[in-house]
Amino acid sequence: MYRIPEQKARSSSEFFNKALAGTWKEGRRRTVRLPDVDPGTFGEYSSWLYHSTYNPSSEFKGLVKTYILADRLMANEFGNQLINAIVTRLNVGSSEDRSPPSKEEMEFACRTVPPPTPLYRLLVDFEVHVGSFALNWLKDIGLDKWFSAMDGEKLSREDRRTQRFMLQVMSTAITRFASSRPPPFLMSVSDYHRAVSGDETN
């Protein structure tokens, strides 16, 4: 169990702000239960609340899991810091911190990150311009199975989520490279930030 001052929780998270307001049982009890959240992942959020120099984990799956929590809590400032850390991991260049995710890590991400989120867009953009996960996944699953699935053959729930990601990658690639001279890809971290109260970022 984590004990967090109510004002800290409510000012950092729209989810907590709504849950602790009004006549909801959480508001009456001043307690919010999140039984499906890993304590270590929630600990990252708690650490961020209390430390102005918060340094998130550099482990890719950990960053993804923590971002999913930030999105669920509608803690946009926290989520933006995690996006910064993930972009550092993904960014092409000579940075010592750069460490592209493995096939297994990308598979985990595309199966767990909700499609409407900025992180999902970021992963799609990375795969379109830099990554090799889509190609390797198609090799593993086989083109016959891919086309059979497109014709209605059942895939596992996990493979359906991966397929959805692949379709988004293909759609984005077609749009981006429709021009004979597509613009160079620059991964700008602010493109994947959510708006924070008092900030003009979209």
Side-chain angles (χ1 to χ4, degrees):
M1 177 183 291
Y2 285 89
R3 296 183 182 275
I4 297 173
E6 181 176 333
Q7 185 55 40
K8 273 187 175 293
R10 295 184 65 173
S11 64
S12 67
S13 160
E14 188 61 25
F15 171 85
F16 284 134
N17 187 43
K18 291 180 178 179
L20 294 170
T23 58
W24 296 95
K25 66 179 181 180
E26 290 85 357
R28 295 195 305 271
R29 298 175 181 174
R30 322 317 293 166
T31 300
V32 178
R33 298 185 182 278
L34 300 170
D36 58 329
V37 174
D38 175 70
T41 301
F42 193 87
E44 291 292 311
Y45 168 69
S46 178
S47 178
W48 170 76
L49 280 177
Y50 285 99
H51 299 91
S52 59
T53 56
Y54 167 72
N55 292 311
S57 164
S58 61
E59 194 267 323
F60 186 75
K61 287 179 70 173
L63 288 170
V64 169
K65 288 169 65 177
T66 308
Y67 180 87
I68 291 171
L69 173 64
D71 186 70
R72 176 177 173 181
L73 297 181
M74 294 182 280
N76 290 353
E77 186 175 353
F78 181 44
N80 291 346
Q81 286 203 26
L82 292 163
I83 285 287
N84 295 348
I86 292 169
V87 167
T88 297
R89 282 290 310 271
L90 297 179
N91 224 348
V92 178
S94 58
S95 170
E96 294 180 359
D97 294 326
R98 180 178 177 261
S99 179
S102 67
K103 174 181 175 292
E104 290 73 22
E105 289 173 328
M106 278 296 292
E107 193 164 49
F108 170 80
C110 72
R111 290 177 173 182
T112 56
V113 177
T117 60
L119 178 54
Y120 197 87
R121 288 193 295 107
L122 169 59
L123 294 173
V124 167
D125 287 344
F126 173 77
E127 187 60 32
V128 166
H129 294 276
V130 182
S132 59
F133 169 66
L135 180 60
N136 289 332
W137 186 80
L138 286 173
K139 285 180 179 178
D140 289 345
I141 195 174
L143 289 177
D144 289 343
K145 186 174 181 180
W146 168 264
F147 285 116
S148 295
M150 295 293 287
D151 288 335
E153 183 177 306
K154 287 189 176 181
L155 291 173
S156 68
R157 182 180 181 183
E158 290 75 18
D159 279 342
R160 286 200 307 273
R161 289 177 175 177
T162 307
Q163 183 191 55
R164 177 183 60 193
F165 180 79
M166 297 305 167
L167 290 171
Q168 186 61 55
V169 168
M170 291 177 183
S171 173
T172 302
I174 290 170
T175 301
R176 296 272 169 84
F177 299 112
S179 169
S180 59
R181 293 185 177 180
F185 175 61
L186 298 174
M187 189 177 285
S188 175
V189 66
S190 61
D191 291 342
Y192 308 100
H193 281 178
R194 287 196 187 276
V196 176
S197 179
D199 189 5
E200 297 299 322
T201 305
N202 292 321

